[in-house]
Amino acid sequence: MKEDTCNDYYSMPDERGHFGIYGGKFVAETLMEPIEELRQAYEKVKTDEKFQAAFDKDLADYVGRPSPLYHAERWSNELGGAQIYLKREDLNHTGAHKINNTIGQGLLAKYMGKKRIIAETGAGQHGVASATVAARLGMECVVYMGEEDVKRQAPNVYRMKLLGAKVVPVTSGSRTLKDALNEAMRDWVTNIDNTFYIIGTVAGPHPYPAMVRDFQTVIGREAKRQILEKAGRLPDALVACVGGGSNAIGLFHPFLGDEDVKMYGVEGAGDGIDTPNHAAPLCAGSSGVLHGNRTYLMEDDNGQIIETHCVSAGLDYPGVGPEHAWLKDCGRANYVAITDKEALAAFHELTLTEGIIPALESSHALAYAAKLAKTMDKDKIIIINLSGRGDKDINTIAEIEGIEL
Amino acid sequence: MSRLQASFETLKAARKTALIPYITAGDPHPSVTVNLMHDMVQAGANILELGIPFSDPMAEGPVIQLACERALKHNVSLTDVLGMVKEFRSKDNNTPIVLMGYTNPVEVMGYEKFAKAAASSGVDGLILVDLPPEEGADLISALKVNKIDMIFLLAPTSTDERMQLICDQASGFVYYVSLKGVTGSANLDVASVVKKVEQIRGHTSIPVGVGFGIRDAESAAQVASVADAVVVGSALVNRIAENADNPEEMSKQVCALLSSMREAMDK
Ligand SMILES: Cc1ncc(COP(=O)(O)O)c(C=O)c1O
């Protein structure tokens, strides 16, 4: 379904927040004016030198950017194919790429004079990153988290509490990320006057998908500069995991115009995409409307959203950012899926060969890149977005493997 | 003349305000819905708002969220909801029915297919909470062809500019969401509702309904003094939930609340 909107990968979203047929502003009337105010504020700060300088300074001095681009030589040799470089977002303050976005939105909240921050979280990384920013800006912070996720990500729940945030377990629906998002939307609509909603991925109504992307493209801009320095050329392929798609679009976007760079977004296949238990809307879903935008969804024939399954909470989401939906239809990026089992194997592989404990989300990207590398020559280059570190997942992994800590 | 238009004109002539109860189709069981609809008309309802159950009802408070969950336990689909309307129509061809829900079930069925099926089942209007006019062009035209009114929401945050944009596309009636919040909230501020309704009337001559936060005879009567229609939802759904195992008692409780509202509104 290659449309003519695919001619220019930097032309999206259009004025109405559409990426081709995807995206848009599917929200209740109460939120229409607030998201318009947000859009206008964001448009202003985009070209505001003082704002951008403050953002860059925080990324450097507080987050610790640029994050290294690390040549995983030992693992590359073991795989026997392409050279693998890891973009080390796991080394960021708070341990994942999520902080890039929360720094940006936190500054915007301050700019807009908001005093209260709310956020949804799945793995807890975005919740921690939001709580971190709120602590630093002296703002109240409430984080919505599915009851299931509160259980599987206990260390992050405690971190958020230490940071002064209130964590609200969400007991409606499937009790995971999508329900946390519903609940955050309900809070937002109720407290619209003083509250800024920091969405953690490239989903939600316009301008969120574009705004979160813009805050995350620092990943791809750095990676491009770093690979040119280290290897003297652009990579052959980029690989990133896709929950909502923020770390993936952050890496992909600056390379979209480089036609020879292939891109692979990796979804959670759970027990397999031929089973009902997965979280792979791009690979096995269909188009629909959820959480403010039109995109690929996991849904049944009646338009009800289906419960997803993925070992990593951060990928356990039935939708995906609308720009990915568009890039898929354009054929610019490829979307694939990795099972829980494959991700767990890759988790151990990287830990043992490189001494890096990756997040379970990122392990999906690692597992796919490992397969891909084997099909490529040794002089080829793959950059993987190592979106987060795995400390938060050790309880989950121990439990799966029957080990008592 | 459409059923909605006829209903509003009759009420206007009698100097009455429309009472619009909301229930979720299939809550707590698909077998109770059509009977309950008839009973509510007997108790003084003029227009019925029937909720299409959705897995992710973002604008609903806990009461209607749970109603959706109860209905979805029985896999109540949009097709089933249309079937209930059709069954209702076999005995009542006058009371207007407005469906209320979220975009995705309608989108997945397909706009044209939905509009045709809804019209032939006897649906008069549609409210989709998460479909502002900016995203609604295709659906609006499909509905128009089939003579179904697209009913848009207005909110406390709507600017004059938005009110105009929305009123220009609205038909049937416009629905003013009386508070910043989800359904079933308790912070209804009557004075500000009065002001907003006046402001809306500056933009349109079609009827103005008010909903969210109306829970008893007193609040219904207060809102009725300025609005053309009063919508009550969570307060009824609560009574449905409390009597889920006893359809007779459920109907009695629901109708008692409606009658008390009717009486207070007509005073
Ligand atoms: C480490 C890590 N990677 C990836 C994700 C998935 O989000 P996204 O697809 O927006 O990058 C998460 C989400 O919680 C995460 O914590």
Side-chain angles (χ1 to χ4, degrees):
Chain A
M1 187 177 36
K2 186 150 176 158
E3 320 169 40
D4 32 337
T5 57
C6 301
N7 292 330
D8 180 358
Y9 294 116
Y10 295 110
S11 62
M12 294 287 143
D14 65 16
E15 251 165 49
R16 295 160 57 223
H18 291 170
F19 298 84
I21 61 168
Y22 302 105
K25 299 191 267 196
F26 293 85
V27 294
E29 175 58 23
T30 314
L31 291 176
M32 284 301 280
E33 189 56 26
I35 63 173
E36 175 58 19
E37 279 167 25
L38 175 64
R39 190 193 65 79
Q40 286 176 12
Y42 177 59
E43 283 302 319
K44 269 199 203 131
V45 302
K46 236 163 114 175
T47 51
D48 182 319
E49 274 173 33
K50 243 173 75 190
F51 182 93
Q52 293 300 329
F55 180 54
D56 291 345
K57 183 162 181 287
D58 278 356
L59 289 186
D61 299 346
Y62 189 71
V63 176
R65 302 204 73 90
S67 68
L69 183 70
Y70 167 69
H71 184 188
E73 271 186 274
R74 187 151 182 261
W75 196 38
S76 303
N77 285 340
E78 209 151 276
L79 294 168
Q83 299 307 304
I84 289 179
Y85 288 78
L86 303 175
K87 183 61 177 159
R88 298 289 308 274
E89 293 299 302
D90 61 316
L91 294 178
N92 292 343
H93 179 43
T94 70
H97 70 292
K98 297 283 179 188
I99 190 91
N100 303 327
N101 169 45
T102 57
I103 292 278
Q105 289 196 52
L107 289 175
L108 185 55
K110 192 175 138 194
Y111 176 88
M112 292 176 75
K114 303 287 183 184
K115 302 272 184 279
R116 178 173 179 267
I117 278 173
I118 57 170
E120 84 293 342
T121 198
Q125 287 304 114
H126 174 61
V128 167
S130 298
T132 298
V133 165
R136 181 160 168 261
L137 294 173
M139 291 185 195
E140 183 190 345
C141 181
V142 177
V143 179
Y144 292 93
M145 189 168 188
E147 200 180 43
E148 271 305 305
D149 294 336
V150 169
K151 274 186 231 148
R152 30 180 190 179
Q153 305 287 339
N156 271 343
V157 174
Y158 187 52
R159 284 167 84 195
M160 287 184 265
K161 287 183 181 165
L162 288 174
L163 288 160
K166 185 175 156 202
V167 180
V168 181
V170 176
T171 55
S172 55
S174 60
R175 301 166 189 223
T176 58
L177 181 54
K178 84 171 170 75
D179 309 286
L181 225 146
N182 291 337
E183 209 52 38
M185 288 269 198
R186 292 179 188 123
D187 178 313
W188 197 27
V189 94
T190 307
N191 299 293
I192 202 80
D193 296 326
N194 71 343
T195 297
F196 189 103
Y197 179 15
I198 302 189
I199 296 186
T201 189
V202 283
H206 181 61
Y208 282 100
M211 175 170 72
V212 175
R213 173 196 73 197
D214 294 347
F215 288 138
Q216 290 291 3
T217 51
V218 63
I219 301 171
R221 278 182 277 121
E222 283 176 9
K224 201 168 186 175
R225 199 182 67 228
Q226 289 166 323
I227 197 69
L228 288 172
E229 274 166 21
K230 286 179 199 294
R233 67 178 187 87
L234 290 175
D236 299 286
L238 306 173
V239 181
C241 66
V242 176
S246 67
N247 87 87
I249 207 77
L251 177 64
F252 293 176
H253 197 259
F255 292 92
L256 284 174
D258 302 302
E259 292 280 353
D260 293 336
V261 179
K262 291 204 168 72
M263 299 176 183
Y264 299 89
V266 187
E267 299 190 304
D271 295 339
I273 56 172
D274 48 354
T275 75
N277 304 324
H278 63 83
L282 287 166
C283 293
S286 51
S287 169
V289 171
L290 181 68
H291 294 151
N293 65 86
R294 182 179 283 122
T295 187
Y296 279 88
L297 297 174
M298 305 266 301
E299 59 192 345
D300 67 16
D301 295 342
N302 299 318
Q304 307 295 345
I305 308 306
I306 318 180
E307 292 187 16
T308 51
H309 170 85
C310 180
V311 67
S312 86
L315 303 188
D316 214 350
Y317 180 63
V320 63
E323 190 161 13
H324 287 292
W326 176 66
L327 289 172
K328 173 189 159 78
D329 284 5
C330 287
R332 177 64 187 96
N334 307 288
Y335 295 91
V336 295
I338 281 292
T339 63
D340 288 355
K341 248 196 182 142
E342 293 171 313
L344 284 165
F347 170 92
H348 287 298
E349 219 172 289
L350 191 78
T351 303
L352 288 173
T353 52
E354 295 286 353
I356 297 172
I357 302 180
L360 271 177
E361 290 79 13
S362 322
S363 298
H364 287 72
L366 295 165
Y368 185 75
K371 285 192 200 174
L372 183 66
K374 289 179 191 163
T375 69
M376 293 164 74
D377 291 337
K378 284 187 177 161
D379 60 347
K380 300 290 186 201
I381 297 173
I382 298 175
I383 298 180
I384 303 173
N385 198 355
L386 189 59
S387 57
R389 65 176 187 227
D391 308 43
K392 69 180 174 63
D393 295 313
I394 57 174
N395 292 338
T396 307
I397 287 161
E399 197 185 308
I400 291 170
E401 296 175 353
I403 293 157
E404 225 172 286
L405 293 183
Chain B
M1 196 187 296
S2 74
R3 283 191 204 96
L4 270 171
Q5 213 179 340
S7 169
F8 277 113
E9 288 194 3
T10 311
L11 285 162
K12 196 174 177 185
R15 303 179 143 268
K16 280 186 171 188
T17 301
L19 177 57
I20 311 183
Y22 165 97
I23 59 170
T24 303
D27 167 36
H29 193 278
S31 64
V32 309
T33 303
V34 175
N35 288 336
L36 198 53
M37 288 165 74
H38 288 301
D39 294 349
M40 292 193 299
V41 174
Q42 286 298 313
N46 308 104
I47 298 168
L48 301 175
E49 200 176 301
L50 194 56
I52 306 163
F54 184 49
S55 53
D56 295 80
M58 271 166 295
E60 314 303 339
V63 171
I64 296 180
Q65 284 173 43
L66 289 173
C68 284
E69 287 184 20
R70 286 190 295 268
L72 287 174
K73 270 215 186 93
H74 304 288
N75 292 315
V76 175
S77 68
L78 179 50
T79 308
D80 296 333
V81 178
L82 295 178
M84 292 174 194
V85 175
K86 196 166 195 168
E87 192 187 330
F88 175 84
R89 282 277 171 255
S90 67
K91 285 194 206 150
D92 183 336
N93 201 24
N94 292 322
T95 309
I97 296 176
V98 173
L99 299 185
M100 178 165 189
Y102 292 78
T103 306
N104 203 49
V106 175
E107 170 129 339
V108 166
M109 180 179 278
Y111 292 161
E112 271 171 39
K113 187 174 163 201
F114 166 78
K116 268 191 204 140
S120 76
S121 308
V123 170
D124 301 287
L126 175 68
I127 302 171
L128 292 181
V129 179
D130 57 348
L131 192 80
E134 283 90 334
E135 302 287 356
D138 293 346
L139 179 59
I140 294 170
S141 53
L143 293 178
K144 232 177 220 158
V145 171
N146 290 281
K147 301 200 165 56
I148 294 175
D149 291 314
M150 183 82 200
I151 292 150
F152 284 110
L153 303 177
L154 287 163
T157 51
S158 307
T159 56
D160 266 311
E161 205 181 346
R162 285 199 61 76
M163 282 186 181
Q164 193 59 54
L165 172 94
I166 291 164
C167 289
D168 284 347
Q169 317 223 26
S171 65
F173 63 98
V174 290
Y175 184 141
Y176 178 62
V177 174
S178 66
L179 48 84
K180 293 173 195 162
V182 293
T183 50
S185 306
N187 49 345
L188 180 71
D189 172 2
V190 177
S192 78
V193 170
V194 171
K195 247 173 78 188
K196 276 285 179 179
V197 171
E198 276 168 17
Q199 194 185 346
I200 294 167
R201 292 203 195 278
H203 294 278
T204 184
S205 56
I206 68 172
V208 180
V210 175
F212 281 46
I214 296 160
R215 51 186 53 239
D216 51 22
E218 193 192 345
S219 47
Q222 283 173 330
V223 172
S225 63
V226 290
D228 302 304
V230 170
V231 185
V232 54
S234 297
L236 296 174
V237 174
N238 255 332
R239 293 176 178 223
I240 293 174
E242 282 161 11
N243 299 286
D245 300 331
N246 186 346
E248 230 166 84
E249 185 60 24
M250 179 194 306
S251 173
K252 224 169 102 189
Q253 295 283 333
V254 164
C255 291
L257 180 58
L258 283 177
S259 309
S260 74
M261 289 179 155
R262 179 80 269 168
E263 199 178 316
M265 286 164 62
D266 290 348
K267 251 189 202 148

